[in-house]
Amino acid sequence: MSDSPVQSRQDLLEQAELTDQDLALNVTDMMDRQIDDAELFIQHNRSEAWALEDGKVKDGSFSVSQGVGVRAITGEKTGFAHTNELNESALRKACVMAASIADRGGNRRAEVPTDVPFRRLYPGGDPTADVTNDDKVRFLSELDQFTRALDPRIAEVSISIRGSTDRVLVYGSDGTNQFDDRPLVNCRVHVIVKDGSRMESGTDGSGGRYPLDMFFRDDFATAKEMAREAVRMAITKLDSVAAPAGEMPVVLGPGWAGVLLHEAVGHGLEGDCERKKTSCFEGKIGEKVANELCTVVDDATLDGRRGSLSIDDEGTPGQRTVLIEDGILKGFMWDKHNAILTGNQSTGNGRRESFASLTIPRMTNTFLLGGESDPEDIVRSVTKGVYCSAFSGGQVDPSSGRFVFATTEAYLIEDGKLTSPVHGCMLTGYPWDVMNSITMVGSDFALDPGVGTCGKQGQGVPVGVGQPTIKVEQITVGGTST
């Protein structure tokens, strides 16, 4: 699936009916209006999705989107325009509009574009190219049959596979001239089981920045394991009891449970919240904000991960940023604009959903590093509490930090052992309370399987989360029983 970055960049410009000279002239003309910074973001995205329901392939969709977003900055003022027409005339109109909004700032000249070295974290090209459409249909049908054969209580099965390639070119007045070719794939299996009048569901999936044929290898071994896990989860829930309620110890499992950290802590560490003084961590650099066992990192440089970026959407190379180290707040995640306004440097966290969206600071792969405790010892240390291994949606107020999360898989802990699965389990609290209540950090660090999408200001971007097994000594559990 791999194409040469140089050739891919040239293909993008040809599709856009643009040349490097067009980019340079338009950026220079914008700077002539005495704005501080000008930036062009050119994008071409191709994606496809296949879905099976009720034993039939019901959807096979293909889409192409392309366009350019133009940003002009003067101080705190941003002018933004975008167009899905890719040609020199449309680009010029968008540049004039964006520069007019941000008119009259400094008097900086456009710098000579330069390439900043970065490490490519994934192959370019179409990640679906090595799999035929017939093979995709066969994959869905055979995986459906395999899944249904796992248990007679399975009532419904739905399976989907997706793949996309995103080619982006960032060209700015600060000398930025960067290109990235980003693949992204995922596979998801969802089942509903029925036993008498009771119905429960289970879902599992995985994905990342690699070829789609990863799911097709070894007789669909990876996808079949997802099917087994989805069925196991659903059947386990058939025997679940109502969750307890009140203050109690909670053990969070490795991997996907890191979504709680992402929401409750991560969003408050994004630079726009710090600049606007709406973060619950505002002004706390160098202060203790978590137990000394806790080190939290945002890392865009992990090979093939869903949240990884060779460059961010402002052309800054992806980086590894330590946010909290041994319980001490070390820094925030920055895009260029918010970093300049606060005297900081971009950490490579400037992200946007598409060319039609403004860049804002966002997480990439955010996780809590592993510790030294045996995961089994962590569970054994709890006399009465709850073990949570997976979460669904949640709500977080970045200014106060207060969060509410619902689990999709949880169990009672009684006398140091996992016992009954529970339903209706909610966790609520404040990040500093939770982070300072972490008393044990496991040695079983894991990343999530690669299915996360983060929403902020109406924009969704792919992200990763992770953590080891951890013990939170005291947190509010909201359930339906006491």
Side-chain angles (χ1 to χ4, degrees):
M1 64 175 252
S2 181
D3 293 338
S4 149
V6 174
Q7 183 59 52
S8 295
R9 182 185 186 279
Q10 186 58 38
D11 290 345
L12 176 61
L13 285 176
E14 289 178 0
Q15 287 172 330
E17 301 178 13
L18 295 169
T19 66
D20 282 293
Q21 185 178 16
D22 293 329
L23 307 184
L25 287 174
N26 277 280
V27 166
T28 299
D29 287 348
M30 291 173 71
M31 295 301 291
D32 284 343
R33 290 179 173 266
Q34 296 183 335
I35 63 174
D36 293 338
D37 288 288
E39 176 196 80
L40 311 179
F41 181 86
I42 302 169
Q43 179 183 32
H44 183 277
N45 178 280
R46 178 197 179 279
S47 63
E48 64 176 271
W50 297 79
L52 177 146
E53 295 180 12
D54 299 327
K56 299 178 181 179
V57 178
K58 291 193 171 182
D59 186 30
S61 61
F62 300 83
S63 65
V64 174
S65 64
Q66 62 180 16
V68 57
V70 180
R71 183 170 63 164
I73 297 174
T74 299
E76 294 192 15
K77 185 166 62 175
T78 297
F80 180 70
H82 64 88
T83 175
N84 57 10
E85 292 185 60
L86 281 181
N87 54 61
E88 202 281 331
S89 176
L91 174 62
R92 179 165 294 278
K93 289 178 182 178
C95 288
V96 170
M97 182 177 295
S100 297
I101 296 171
D103 209 1
R104 301 299 171 189
N107 190 22
R108 292 174 15 189
R109 305 295 301 178
E111 298 179 21
V112 177
T114 56
D115 288 327
V116 178
F118 62 89
R119 185 168 68 92
R120 296 193 178 275
L121 304 172
Y122 29 76
D126 182 359
T128 69
D130 295 333
V131 184
T132 68
N133 291 343
D134 287 342
D135 285 339
K136 295 163 190 170
V137 172
R138 180 175 65 85
F139 169 87
L140 294 171
S141 299
E142 291 188 10
L143 187 57
D144 174 69
Q145 295 171 16
F146 173 84
T147 305
R148 291 179 183 276
L150 291 174
D151 195 280
R153 292 167 288 184
I154 295 174
E156 296 181 24
V157 175
S158 59
I159 305 168
S160 64
I161 51 174
R162 298 175 182 273
S164 67
T165 182
D166 204 26
R167 291 179 173 177
V168 301
L169 174 60
V170 187
Y171 192 101
S173 59
D174 62 355
T176 298
N177 182 14
Q178 299 283 36
F179 171 82
D180 200 12
D181 193 351
R182 304 166 178 167
L184 190 65
V185 300
N186 69 67
C187 177
R188 175 182 175 273
V189 180
H190 177 75
V191 301
I192 296 176
V193 298
K194 184 176 182 180
D195 191 354
S197 61
R198 185 160 184 177
M199 298 179 67
E200 296 289 351
S201 64
T203 303
D204 197 45
S206 68
R209 298 193 182 279
Y210 45 74
L212 186 66
D213 72 1
M214 289 284 288
F215 299 119
F216 290 70
R217 300 173 186 175
D218 302 322
D219 192 29
F220 312 153
T222 299
K224 288 179 177 178
E225 186 55 37
M226 286 188 281
R228 294 188 187 96
E229 179 62 14
V231 172
R232 181 203 64 78
M233 183 184 297
I235 290 175
T236 297
K237 291 180 182 179
L238 290 172
D239 297 321
S240 64
V241 299
E247 297 280 335
M248 65 189 71
V250 169
V251 176
L252 303 176
W256 182 239
V259 69
L260 188 148
L261 173 81
H262 167 101
E263 295 287 359
V265 177
H267 279 299
L269 295 177
E270 291 169 332
D272 52 344
C273 294
E274 165 72 355
R275 180 177 72 83
K276 297 173 184 177
K277 301 186 184 302
T278 58
S279 169
C280 58
F281 296 101
E282 188 265 326
K284 296 185 183 298
I285 294 287
E287 296 183 17
K288 183 178 183 295
V289 296
N291 186 286
E292 60 272 12
L293 296 172
C294 299
T295 294
V296 178
V297 173
D298 184 82
D299 194 345
T301 69
L302 305 178
D303 287 348
R305 297 299 305 182
R306 181 173 170 84
S308 295
L309 293 170
S310 297
I311 59 169
D312 73 358
D313 294 329
E314 296 176 311
T316 304
Q319 300 174 29
R320 182 181 189 273
T321 303
V322 178
L323 304 170
I324 299 172
E325 185 173 28
D326 300 332
I328 305 300
L329 181 61
K330 292 294 184 178
F332 291 81
M333 292 167 279
W334 298 102
D335 64 335
K336 283 183 180 179
H337 188 205
N338 285 285
I340 289 172
L341 292 175
T342 55
N344 290 283
Q345 289 189 331
S346 172
T347 55
N349 289 94
R351 306 191 65 185
R352 63 205 303 168
E353 183 175 271
S354 75
F355 67 89
S357 307
L358 268 172
T359 306
I360 50 178
R362 306 291 300 274
M363 285 171 274
T364 58
N365 303 298
T366 311
F367 45 86
L368 176 74
L369 296 186
E372 299 180 356
S373 294
D374 185 317
E376 294 182 1
D377 288 343
I378 296 177
V379 175
R380 279 193 287 264
S381 72
V382 178
T383 301
K384 182 180 179 181
V386 176
Y387 177 91
C388 304
S389 55
F391 291 87
S392 57
Q395 295 182 341
V396 181
D397 178 358
S399 59
S400 70
R402 183 173 177 81
F403 62 83
V404 178
F405 277 89
T407 65
T408 54
E409 186 171 13
Y411 300 83
L412 293 176
I413 303 177
E414 298 174 298
D415 297 323
K417 296 180 180 179
L418 300 187
T419 56
S420 300
V422 298
H423 59 260
C425 182
M426 309 282 290
L427 302 183
T428 182
Y430 294 91
W432 48 86
D433 291 338
V434 172
M435 296 300 287
N436 281 286
S437 294
I438 295 174
T439 56
M440 299 180 77
V441 177
S443 58
D444 58 340
F445 172 80
L447 292 166
D448 77 285
V451 294
T453 296
C454 174
K456 177 180 175 181
Q457 297 180 20
Q459 298 188 44
V461 295
V463 296
V465 300
Q467 67 173 49
T469 298
I470 62 174
K471 178 183 178 182
V472 182
E473 199 66 44
Q474 201 81 344
I475 190 172
T476 300
V477 177
T480 56
S481 68
T482 57

